[in-house]
Amino acid sequence: MTLNEQVLKYDERMIYDLRELYRLHGYTRFKMGKFEEYDLYSKNKDFLVSDSVITFTDTNGKLMALKPDVTLSIVKNAKWQKGCVQKVYYNENVYRISRSTHAFEELMQAGLECIGDLDVMQLCDVMLLAAQSLQKISADFVLDVSHMGIVGAMMEEMHLPADAQNDLLAALGEKNTHGARAICLSNGVDDVACDRLLQLIRTYGPIGEILPALQALCADLPVESALCELTMIAEVLASNGFSSQIRLDFSVVHDIHYYSGIVFQGFVDGIPSAVLIGGRYDRLLRKMGKQGGAVGFAVYLDLLERLHREKRDYDADVLCLYRDEDDPTALSAAVSEWNKQGKSVLLQREIPTQMRFGEIVRFSAGGEEK
Amino acid sequence: MKTMINVALPKGRLGEKVLAMFEKAGYECPSIHENNRKLIFENEEVGIRYFWVKPSDVSIYVERGAADIGVAGKDILLEYEPDVYELLDLDIGKCRMAVAAKKDFRDDPETTLRVATKFSNIARNYYHGLGRDIDIIHLNGSIEIAPILGLSDVIVDIVETGTTLLENDLVPFETVVPISARLIANKSSFKFKTEAIEAITAGIAAGIAAEVAEKQAAK
């Protein structure tokens, strides 16, 4: 079968490209159903981006959900084997509540998960795939990287109550230094720890350039392995031609109860929100009684429409008008002839309103009249 | 060509003050002071494009990327929780979100507290933090009338001087959160226009610091 790429819409071409990219890195497709038992989500609600889940009772009386997330279903099926990781990619629709309209929406995602005996090598490969996925969407992209291990270590030295910790993480996510300072002050956090956190919020720039400053900032914190991971990732990505696009940004914050290591978000110029979101979520595995580590990301394909709004000049290249008495065989032959020239043909008896055509032809057995 | 930064300014008195802060930081735009019906004003030389929008809509323009940055009240940010960066507290438009009620109000924890407000999300979060059972009555205006007519026990609303409350025999009981104007930025714009946005932020922050220093010296 030959594929006519012109027929594919931009997001469909992107799905094709991403699937090919992931396949080349040894990932196999994970195909799942639309429904999942609600129990899976109710136990891990904080892991979900949206609080609300569409539920219904199936014919056996079991409470089911239209899946709001793909990762949980993949983790549920993960099997442990020492020295190995399971690599799967997906292209699925998920169902969530829209933040702006508060109505349910169907979102198309593509992404991958790498689960098992995870090491830095695998981590670097996933980060490389994240950068390459963004590059396929647009050359003008940024991949922001943070590390929950570093954020967690800073939080720990502050000994904050849970509420204050959540508020501080929110301030971090907003690059809100004034808000973070106020929280530190009202909770009696010492000046050194507070200043260090404010400095972390201000830390932003290409990972290779910023890492030395981050290492100095974290000199007396137990975060050697986190810094080591970031250094390795920076080196691998730089050796693949990605340096200025990969930035350290600690405003990338995911739930500290699920995410333990590297977390990241990808942006492309022209789309107002993150098109790629991912991270390492070993703590989710623990909660689900699994061994090992896991990292993955999702690309929000529905957002790509903003980048390439393809406008077609015509609804069809040819509008062919026929009469009741026309010979169907001759008509079919005429359509085949146009199709051979690569033209799309719409057969109608009258001209449809609100549609545009390259040419309008009145069919007649002796030859078409324009 | 200089990077253009789109700025959503809140219409009204607060917006005029905000514009003055931008101008003081070097982002002047003479055309915005001309008396005409234009909606968008730009100065290519300094790389700025201003437009006036309803104060409660600023965060929508910024979150959706129609504006790179904007100025919104903390009340709007807490109520709608837009996914934006909050880069600076501008220290203007200061007021507070407060719980107010009739002078003789006594909170009976055995009953559900009826709360009238324009800011349902803020009120819900505040009482959730206190573990108090409430019934939110969402109103779009004239909130002060609700306890007087028995529609609610308390109101959660913005209090500036407290004069309106006093005139209606209401008193503020608790402060929910202090409010002021904040400089916000679209997350994606920040990635691709980092230098320009950071320069604006630093310029305005320097202006605020200079004003604070001036006030302290005057004391």
Side-chain angles (χ1 to χ4, degrees):
Chain A
M1 187 187 76
T2 51
L3 197 66
N4 181 356
E5 287 208 12
Q6 277 187 325
V7 177
L8 296 177
K9 285 175 71 183
Y10 175 73
D11 53 356
E12 290 166 335
R13 280 201 299 273
M14 198 46 62
I15 291 169
Y16 178 80
D17 284 353
L18 293 178
R19 284 170 63 166
E20 179 60 4
L21 173 67
Y22 305 152
R23 190 187 66 80
L24 289 173
H25 281 247
Y27 283 76
T28 52
R29 185 159 185 208
F30 185 91
K31 182 87 183 86
M32 56 186 294
K34 279 190 167 50
F35 319 126
E36 185 71 80
E37 279 187 42
Y38 175 68
D39 201 35
L40 177 66
Y41 306 115
S42 66
K43 281 179 184 158
N44 300 287
K45 265 201 153 175
D46 294 339
F47 185 75
L48 304 175
V49 175
S50 153
D51 285 346
S52 301
V53 178
I54 306 176
T55 56
F56 62 96
T57 312
D58 78 355
T59 49
N60 298 321
K62 206 176 271 179
L63 190 59
M64 303 293 287
L66 265 176
K67 62 178 186 300
D69 169 89
V70 179
T71 307
L72 285 169
S73 303
I74 295 176
V75 170
K76 193 179 78 171
N77 291 300
K79 306 253 184 318
W80 163 262
Q81 188 188 339
K82 190 163 171 46
C84 292
V85 286
Q86 252 179 293
K87 294 185 171 190
V88 293
Y89 73 85
Y90 58 86
N91 169 208
E92 299 284 341
N93 285 353
V94 293
Y95 304 86
R96 293 177 181 169
I97 282 216
S98 157
R99 280 166 53 90
S100 51
T101 62
H102 302 289
F104 280 106
E105 57 185 3
E106 188 175 16
L107 305 172
M108 203 201 313
Q109 283 188 349
L112 58 81
E113 309 292 345
C114 179
I115 306 171
D117 198 355
L118 201 64
D119 60 6
V120 181
M121 199 75 81
Q122 300 292 352
L123 213 51
C124 290
D125 190 49
V126 170
M127 294 306 291
L128 179 61
L129 281 170
Q132 287 173 335
S133 300
L134 289 166
Q135 193 183 36
K136 283 201 178 286
I137 296 167
S138 165
D140 217 352
F141 78 90
V142 165
L143 178 61
D144 282 345
V145 182
S146 170
H147 201 296
M148 293 309 288
I150 294 172
V151 174
M154 286 200 186
M155 292 283 163
E156 213 154 281
E157 68 167 352
M158 292 179 176
H159 307 291
L160 292 169
D163 278 0
Q165 195 179 77
N166 289 339
D167 290 346
L168 203 53
L169 285 171
L172 189 64
E174 293 166 354
K175 289 187 183 287
N176 182 347
T177 46
H178 49 278
R181 184 184 285 116
I183 295 164
C184 288
L185 275 175
S186 63
N187 285 280
V189 173
D190 73 69
D191 289 350
V192 177
C194 178
D195 286 346
R196 186 174 4 221
L197 185 83
L198 299 184
Q199 197 54 45
L200 193 75
I201 295 177
R202 292 187 196 105
T203 299
Y204 183 68
I207 189 165
E209 291 173 27
I210 301 290
L211 257 175
L214 181 69
Q215 278 158 343
L217 185 70
C218 301
D220 56 341
L221 286 176
V223 293
E224 297 83 6
S225 65
L227 290 169
C228 195
E229 265 178 20
L230 288 171
T231 309
M232 293 283 278
I233 288 166
E235 281 172 10
V236 169
L237 289 171
S239 70
N240 280 277
F242 301 113
S243 45
S244 63
Q245 304 100 321
I246 316 300
R247 314 225 178 124
L248 264 184
D249 184 350
F250 287 89
S251 74
V252 182
V253 180
H254 294 349
D255 193 311
I256 208 158
H257 301 104
Y258 292 95
Y259 290 88
S260 46
I262 197 119
V263 286
F264 47 95
Q265 279 185 349
F267 293 84
V268 298
D269 199 6
I271 298 181
S273 54
V275 294
L276 182 149
I277 297 177
R280 180 170 183 167
Y281 49 91
D282 296 8
R283 287 181 181 149
L284 173 70
L285 254 66
R286 294 293 97 71
K287 282 184 189 237
M288 292 176 78
K290 305 267 177 184
Q291 217 177 324
V295 62
F297 62 79
V299 180
Y300 288 73
L301 295 162
D302 51 301
L303 292 173
L304 306 189
E305 197 189 49
R306 293 203 43 150
L307 204 60
H308 290 268
R309 292 213 163 175
E310 289 157 45
K311 282 191 182 149
R312 292 189 307 164
D313 294 331
Y314 306 116
D315 294 289
D317 297 321
V318 179
L319 170 67
C320 178
L321 299 169
Y322 65 92
R323 301 179 186 91
D324 290 344
E325 60 271 25
D326 285 334
D327 173 16
T329 313
L331 196 56
S332 166
V335 171
S336 297
E337 207 48 50
W338 275 310
N339 286 164
K340 274 182 202 161
Q341 296 166 30
K343 289 181 176 175
S344 57
V345 184
L346 179 67
L347 289 176
Q348 295 281 8
R349 281 178 294 176
E350 296 292 337
I351 299 175
T353 53
Q354 312 239 331
M355 288 182 87
R356 295 205 304 182
F357 307 95
E359 55 180 318
I360 299 176
V361 174
R362 171 74 65 187
F363 179 78
S364 70
E368 297 79 32
E369 308 154 13
K370 292 206 175 179
Chain B
M1 209 180 85
K2 214 170 165 78
T3 308
M4 288 299 283
I5 300 293
N6 293 317
V7 188
L9 294 171
K11 273 183 197 165
R13 251 186 319 157
L14 178 69
E16 298 293 343
K17 279 188 190 173
V18 171
L19 178 63
M21 292 174 97
F22 273 82
E23 288 179 326
K24 199 175 161 190
Y27 298 91
E28 287 168 333
C29 184
S31 64
I32 203 166
H33 298 289
E34 288 167 12
N35 192 13
N36 58 33
R37 285 169 179 249
K38 275 173 76 174
L39 297 170
I40 298 169
F41 309 90
E42 63 180 51
N43 181 353
E44 276 190 40
E45 236 171 82
V46 295
I48 207 96
R49 185 180 292 124
Y50 295 114
F51 47 91
W52 300 106
V53 299
K54 199 175 166 186
S56 55
D57 288 343
V58 168
S59 64
I60 300 171
Y61 280 85
V62 174
E63 184 181 28
R64 293 191 166 240
D68 299 308
I69 57 174
V71 172
K74 185 67 182 174
D75 51 332
I76 298 298
L77 301 179
L78 289 171
E79 182 61 22
Y80 298 109
E81 300 180 346
D83 189 19
V84 294
Y85 290 137
E86 187 184 317
L87 301 178
L88 206 56
D89 182 348
L90 298 184
D91 214 26
I92 56 170
K94 285 169 116 174
C95 52
R96 62 186 170 128
M97 186 70 65
V99 179
K102 287 201 278 187
K103 277 178 194 161
D104 58 356
F105 168 73
R106 187 186 69 84
D107 190 3
D108 179 2
E110 285 185 17
T111 61
T112 300
L113 186 70
R114 295 170 307 152
V115 184
T117 186
K118 249 195 291 192
F119 301 94
S120 303
N121 195 32
I122 296 177
R124 196 176 299 115
N125 288 340
Y126 174 68
Y127 283 107
H128 178 75
L130 298 177
R132 183 76 172 90
D133 182 33
I134 58 159
D135 176 17
I136 296 256
I137 303 157
H138 186 91
L139 298 175
N140 295 305
S142 306
I143 315 292
E144 295 85 0
I145 209 170
I148 300 166
L149 297 178
L151 178 63
S152 74
D153 300 312
V154 297
I155 64 169
V156 169
D157 204 11
I158 289 173
V159 178
E160 280 180 63
T161 56
T163 317
T164 318
L165 290 179
L166 274 177
E167 283 172 358
N168 289 291
D169 273 336
L170 300 175
V171 246
F173 277 89
E174 314 260 0
T175 294
V176 176
V177 64
I179 305 290
S180 59
R182 311 293 164 100
L183 179 69
I184 57 173
N186 173 268
K187 290 192 168 180
S188 186
S189 297
F190 188 87
K191 316 293 167 191
F192 299 100
K193 298 178 177 179
T194 314
E195 244 176 72
I197 292 176
E198 283 188 336
I200 292 173
T201 311
I204 295 175
I208 297 169
E211 208 163 294
V212 171
E214 234 171 76
K215 274 183 193 166
Q216 277 176 346
K219 278 181 191 171

